[in-house]
Amino acid sequence: MPGATGEGKVGESYRNESRKKDVRWDNLEAAKAVADAVRTSLGPRGMDKMVEQANGEVLITNDGATVLQKMEVSHPAAKMLVELSKAQDINAGDGTTSVVVLAGALLKKSMELIEKGIHPTVISDAMNIAGEKACAILEENAIPVDLSDREALIQNATTSLGSKVVSQYSSVLAPMAVDCVLGVVDPATPNSVDLKDIKLVKKLGGTVEDTEMVEGLVFEQHVSKSASGPTRVTNAKVGLIQFCVSPPKTDMESNVVVSDYAQMDRILREERNYILQMVKKIKASGCNVLLIQKSILRDAVTELSLHYLAKAKIMVIKDIERDDIEFISKTLGCLPISHIDHMKPEKLGSAGLAEEVNVGSEKIVKITEIEKRGRTTTVLVRGSNKLVLGEAERSLHDALCVVKCLVQKRFLVAGGGAPEIEVSRGLASWSKTLEGTASYCVRAFAEAFEAVPYTLAENAGLNAIQIVTELKARHANGELHAGINVRRGCITNIYEENVVQPLLVSTSAISLASECVRMILKIDDVVPVR
């Protein structure tokens, strides 16, 4: 039979698709493995991870972004899930574990669809429209919130802290997070918050309950007392300087050999006069608290300059980091001074009190009662050991991010897997209105959302299949806010239980997870470059 072998047919060529399939499968498997690694730490009953770092330090956390960041991931597709978690952390600050679990579920469904012969591009396009529809469903069911309703904001922060190691201290940390964010919201731009205006200072000792919010500045650096200078100043005039109070040095490394005693005396006398003139100018400006930026090329201060500053009754705090200069100048309402000739009274900040105080076994410097205080806040985080202290700081950061999300987008959704089931239901019914393979893909996308409540129930030691089935039935009967009450081990109206989260956390997780999975699906080859 002519042409039976396919030879001689015009325009026909043999293409080997097996490699593309292998590469795609490899990518999907690698990314799914990363998602499974953090899956057990989802929810208030989620497990914690102990991360052992290369330098021997140990970290205990259940924050998805932190765990993935510390993991050594070599596979390029798996790295995309680490980046996904990082993106969620930047975008919303919370939901870093949920986003990875959701991405893992979407990857699993994608693999099933590819096995059934649906082309990855078709799956990708369907995922795109399904992601947009899912966000729209959430927005329809969201509850508006007013920033003056402090209680609602505290409930949000408490829900965020509920899954952390330090959850028992949420009654202390949640109101603090709310007060911090509301304190830095600028009325000129009411929908944006810069978390750089909130500084977290960690100090070992005490318990997390001793964490306090300071309306002013806190420095970990000690007061320079080598020349018995003052450690407490009232009616402080604070100068923030970026120059060195020490003898000048040549730009190039050079040695001057002096063999005559008279000449040596003259050099020392000149040095003394030079420093004395600088101290006199600082004193003349009215400055009595001096903050000195850390210097790299030469010593910012010498023993001699500290002696003269102590004689002039000026309190000195040295080694201020360059990164903190902007925060300090904004808080004090002062300007950084880069040269001694610019030392003018109008460039100084005014505060009621600057003092060194004991915190546990260590000391810190507090500057409070600031006259022209900018919209900034400092939180002094305490903890009994390094592990608790680090986790308290990360948890507080997450709580701050949650309140920030509410300032940006003032809507709430219920927690406990309720929004995910509602999205799953909405997408499943919407898929019936679509035609062809798109309908099939959207239905698979809808099923993937059940992974979040399923994982929540599984991590709480409940019968996951039974709980999720009952949850779906409740939602089908119109109970929008029915969710998994992990503490009671049953399904209740989760909104009445005050388990709520910002809408932005959920919508951000959906759009980022679907974007990441679409990107992995589109890859059909890996090209190594030497």
Side-chain angles (χ1 to χ4, degrees), residues 202-205 220 222 356-364 382:
K202 294 189 292 182
K203 212 67 186 161
L204 205 59
E220 291 178 82
H222 300 173
E356 188 175 60
V357 290
N358 286 324
V359 174
S361 59
E362 296 188 46
K363 291 183 176 181
I364 57 163
R382 306 293 307 284

Side-chain angles (χ1 to χ4, degrees), residues 450-490:
E450 292 172 18
V452 173
Y454 188 91
T455 308
L456 268 178
E458 205 174 44
N459 289 350
L462 307 172
N463 185 336
I465 295 170
Q466 185 190 331
I467 288 280
V468 172
T469 309
E470 191 188 333
L471 193 56
K472 285 162 81 174
R474 290 274 195 99
H475 276 261
N477 292 336
E479 292 184 41
L480 273 182
H481 302 312
I484 302 167
N485 188 329
V486 172
R487 285 179 178 82
R488 287 198 206 164
C490 61

Side-chain angles (χ1 to χ4, degrees), residues 27-239:
N27 286 346
L28 292 170
E29 285 287 0
K32 212 160 117 307
V34 170
D36 290 341
V38 291
R39 196 174 159 211
T40 51
S41 53
L42 181 75
R45 289 281 187 269
M47 295 294 172
D48 300 332
K49 305 285 183 208
M50 183 181 272
V51 183
E52 193 178 354
Q53 298 178 50
N55 58 2
E57 276 191 26
V58 173
L59 194 78
I60 296 175
T61 182
N62 67 358
D63 179 42
T66 310
V67 173
L68 290 176
Q69 209 176 335
K70 302 288 180 189
M71 272 168 73
E72 278 188 30
V73 180
S74 56
H75 197 285
K79 278 181 185 169
M80 286 167 80
L81 252 72
V82 177
E83 293 301 321
L84 164 71
S85 183
K86 207 182 287 180
Q88 174 73 0
D89 199 27
I90 293 163
N91 215 4
D94 198 22
T96 49
T97 311
S98 310
V99 74
V100 178
V101 169
L102 184 57
L106 290 173
L107 287 164
K108 192 179 174 188
K109 288 292 171 189
S110 302
M111 288 167 83
E112 288 172 14
L113 291 171
I114 291 170
E115 271 187 334
K116 284 172 182 166
I118 299 174
H119 196 275
T121 308
V122 176
I123 302 170
S124 172
D125 293 343
M127 210 171 268
N128 187 28
I129 55 166
E132 287 170 9
K133 180 68 178 173
C135 292
I137 292 168
L138 279 178
E139 281 165 16
E140 281 169 30
N141 299 323
I143 304 146
V145 67
D146 193 354
L147 288 189
S148 58
D149 185 0
R150 186 167 178 268
E151 206 52 47
L153 300 182
I154 290 173
Q155 284 160 12
N156 263 281
T158 307
T159 305
S160 165
L161 292 165
S163 62
K164 309 292 181 204
V165 177
V166 291
S167 57
Q168 68 266 37
Y169 300 112
S170 54
S171 57
V172 178
L173 299 177
M176 201 178 289
V178 172
D179 294 340
C180 282
V181 174
L182 295 183
V184 300
V185 174
D186 191 348
T189 54
N191 288 342
S192 68
V193 176
D194 187 1
L195 289 184
K196 286 180 183 170
D197 293 338
I198 301 168
K199 190 182 178 195
L200 303 179
V201 178
K202 294 189 292 182
K203 212 67 186 161
L204 205 59
T207 63
V208 179
E209 280 178 331
D210 299 330
T211 299
E212 60 173 316
M213 183 175 151
V214 180
E215 292 192 346
L217 280 172
V218 173
F219 295 104
E220 291 178 82
Q221 293 90 340
H222 300 173
V223 173
S224 297
K225 297 191 287 282
S226 58
S228 64
T231 57
R232 189 176 191 275
V233 175
T234 50
N235 295 327
K237 296 287 179 202
V238 188

Side-chain angles (χ1 to χ4, degrees), residues 20-21 49 70 133 332 365 374 437:
K20 290 181 181 179
K21 189 182 175 186
K49 305 285 183 208
K70 302 288 180 189
K133 180 68 178 173
L332 289 170
V365 180
T437 48

